[in-house]
């Protein structure tokens, strides 16, 4: 077979060029490009690690600031609630004071009115007794023809009114 014989003639030449090609590829790609690519990958890895560390630091700082903010807000809320409670207590005390003063005024007016009513009742009762005594004297004088003194007529009317 002539193709095989020709193959043996070019065999050494093909191996030579194969070694030259692979040598060039090895030195250009393996020694020239791969280290640069590996340096770039290493730089990217270190940049990513630094970014992750910075993000973690920022997150922890944000968490601390949020916790401090929450604490301040809770303290402010507690202070506001204490202020509201104090205002309510002050308003209740002022309202109680006003109500107490108003109740005292009403009690004074009520006592005064009761005293006036009692005086008016006594006066009215005395007038009724006087009118009843006069009427009783007139009735006794007309019916019996006897004359009764005003003092005895008043006494008889008081006895009658006290017994019902």
């Amino acid at each position: 077979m002539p193709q095989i014989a020709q193959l043996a003639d070019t065999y050494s030449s093909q191996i030579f060029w194969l070694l030259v090609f692979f040598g060039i590829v090895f030195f250009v790609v393996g020694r020239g490009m791969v280290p640069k690519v590996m340096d770039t990958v290493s730089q990217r890895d270190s940049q990513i690690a630094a970014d992750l560390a910075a993000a973690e630091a920022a997150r922890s700082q944000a968490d601390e600031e949020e916790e401090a903010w929450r604490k301040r807000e809770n303290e402010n809320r507690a202070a506001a609630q204490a202020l509201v409670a104090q205002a309510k207590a002050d308003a209740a005390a002022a309202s109680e004071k006003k109500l107490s003063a108003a109740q005292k005024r009403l009690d004074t007016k009520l006592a005064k009115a009761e005293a006036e009513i009692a005086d008016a009742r006594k006066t009215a009762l005395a007038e009724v007794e006087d009118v009843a005594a006069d009427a009783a004297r007139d009735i006794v004088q007309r019916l019996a023809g006897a004359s009764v003194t005003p003092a005895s007529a008043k006494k008889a009317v008081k006895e009658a009114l006290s017994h019902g």
Side-chain angles (χ1 to χ4, degrees):
M1 275 207 178
Q3 293 97 359
I4 293 179
Q6 189 181 14
L7 183 64
D9 291 338
T10 60
Y11 182 68
S12 61
S13 166
Q14 288 177 350
I15 290 177
F16 172 74
W17 286 111
L18 181 69
L19 288 176
V20 168
F21 177 73
F22 277 123
I24 290 172
V25 168
F26 174 75
F27 283 108
V28 169
V29 173
R31 296 286 185 188
M33 294 174 88
V34 170
K36 290 179 184 177
V37 169
M38 293 307 289
D39 284 343
T40 303
V41 168
S42 175
Q43 286 176 351
R44 288 191 65 151
D45 286 345
S46 65
Q47 182 66 35
I48 289 171
D51 289 347
L52 288 175
E56 180 64 30
R59 185 171 64 94
S60 63
Q61 181 184 2
D63 288 345
E64 289 173 6
E65 288 178 7
E66 180 185 8
E67 185 62 33
W69 176 81
R70 286 183 193 270
K71 185 177 178 183
R72 268 193 328 271
E73 285 301 310
N74 288 338
E75 289 171 356
N76 290 343
R77 187 175 297 114
Q81 288 174 348
L83 186 63
V84 167
Q86 181 64 35
K88 282 183 181 179
D90 291 345
S95 178
E96 182 65 30
K97 198 176 194 181
K98 286 179 183 178
L99 287 175
S100 175
Q103 186 63 39
K104 284 180 183 178
R105 284 192 310 267
L106 289 176
D107 288 344
T108 303
K109 283 183 181 180
L110 181 63
K112 184 178 177 183
E114 286 177 350
E116 288 175 2
I117 289 171
D119 288 342
R121 195 161 126 211
K122 284 180 185 177
T123 303
L125 190 56
E127 287 179 14
V128 167
E129 286 177 3
D130 288 342
V131 169
D134 288 342
R137 272 184 46 219
D138 286 342
I139 292 171
V140 167
Q141 188 174 8
R142 286 185 188 167
L143 291 178
S147 136
V148 178
T149 63
S152 60
K154 269 190 178 182
K155 183 179 176 186
V157 168
K158 278 188 180 183
E159 285 180 22
L161 286 176
S162 66
H163 292 309

